[in-house]
């Protein structure tokens, strides 16, 4: 049963998201991104002074489809020379200029200090990848797994023969647990 639950969890996590390729020029749209709710106490001054800080930005993938980037959106930079996949991270602050990408990751930040920024020269970046949660895929996969599990339980129950002791009064069988105790009359 634990194996089934583990397989279900892994398959849900694997297929609940879709990854989109974001062209390198679109990274400039993320310049100046800050999420004051996810960011640390050092941004409290911006909020108190009513400075505008956008909590989301819109970027387009290679097919022209628009996607919202927030501090909850995993982003990975695909490097030109790298042979391995880039690691997806969530960022609370992003700065992009003509030379480099600078992002402060959400993971590793505490209430007193930010995580060290990720700084990557743009000359090393081929494109970015953005991961989005897909509710439709999640519901479809969960429903399919539920139907398969229920079907397998029904099929397994069909393999067992009815227990002994079936009669017209008790359809479906009776489980016999051994000899039944009998009342012994008391003698005084």
């Amino acid at each position: 049963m634990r194996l089934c639950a583990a397989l279900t969890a892994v398959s849900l996590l694997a297929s609940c998201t879709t990854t989109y390729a974001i062209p390198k020029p679109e990274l400039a749209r993320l310049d100046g991104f800050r999420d004051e709710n996810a960011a640390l106490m050092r941004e409290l001054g911006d909020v108190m002074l009513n400075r505008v800080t956008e909590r989301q930005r819109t970027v387009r993938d290679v097919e022209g489809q628009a996607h919202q980037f927030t501090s909850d959106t995993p982003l990975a930079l695909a490097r030109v020379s790298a042979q391995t996949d880039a690691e997806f991270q969530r960022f609370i602050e992003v700065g992009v200029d003509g030379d480099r990408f600078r992002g402060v990751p959400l993971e590793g930040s505490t209430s007193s200090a930010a995580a060290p920024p990720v700084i990557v020269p743009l000359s090393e970046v081929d494109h970015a990848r953005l991961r989005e949660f897909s509710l439709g895929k999640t519901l479809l996969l969960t429903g399919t797994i539920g139907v398969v599990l229920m079907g397998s339980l029904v099929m397994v129950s069909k393999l067992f023969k009815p227990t002994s002791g079936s009669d017209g009064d008790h359809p479906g069988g009776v489980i016999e647990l051994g000899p039944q105790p009998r009342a012994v009359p008391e003698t005084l």
Side-chain angles (χ1 to χ4, degrees):
M1 190 66 163
R2 288 182 183 174
L3 177 64
C4 183
L7 289 173
T8 302
V10 167
S11 64
L12 283 174
L13 290 175
S15 68
C16 293
T17 60
T18 304
T19 303
Y20 298 98
I22 307 297
K24 186 167 135 178
E26 284 290 309
L27 290 175
R29 292 180 183 243
L30 299 178
D31 186 37
F33 170 80
R34 292 177 83 168
D35 186 351
E36 73 267 1
N37 289 336
L40 309 170
M41 292 300 287
R42 61 189 164 84
E43 291 187 7
L44 186 59
D46 291 342
V47 175
M48 299 283 282
L49 296 173
N50 286 330
R51 291 183 191 150
V52 177
T53 54
E54 294 185 35
R55 288 191 219 167
Q56 66 182 15
R57 297 285 172 99
T58 302
V59 293
R60 297 196 178 277
D61 63 14
V62 293
E63 296 174 354
Q65 223 177 15
H67 303 280
Q68 297 299 317
F69 176 82
T70 66
S71 61
D72 291 328
T73 306
L75 179 75
L77 298 175
R79 297 189 185 204
V80 176
S81 61
Q83 299 294 330
T84 60
D85 287 341
E87 180 181 334
F88 280 91
Q89 292 184 326
R90 292 176 173 87
F91 295 98
I92 58 174
E93 186 176 335
V94 175
V96 181
D97 58 21
D99 298 330
R100 63 189 172 113
F101 173 92
R102 181 185 179 279
V104 178
L106 179 63
E107 287 81 18
S109 298
T110 64
S111 60
S112 61
V118 174
I119 300 172
V120 179
L122 284 178
S123 60
E124 294 181 15
V125 176
D126 182 46
H127 66 281
R129 289 184 291 158
L130 189 85
R131 207 179 263 171
E132 285 184 349
F133 176 74
S134 175
L135 181 61
K137 285 184 178 181
T138 303
L139 294 176
L140 181 66
L141 181 66
T142 305
T144 303
I145 290 172
V147 167
V148 168
L149 286 176
M150 292 304 288
S152 63
L153 287 175
V154 168
M155 293 306 293
V156 166
S157 69
K158 297 275 185 190
L159 295 175
F160 292 104
K161 293 181 180 177
T163 57
S164 63
S166 294
D167 57 18
D169 293 339
H170 299 93
V174 176
I175 298 174
E176 294 179 10
L177 299 174
Q180 295 192 359
R182 299 177 190 233
V184 179
E186 275 185 44
T187 56
L188 289 176

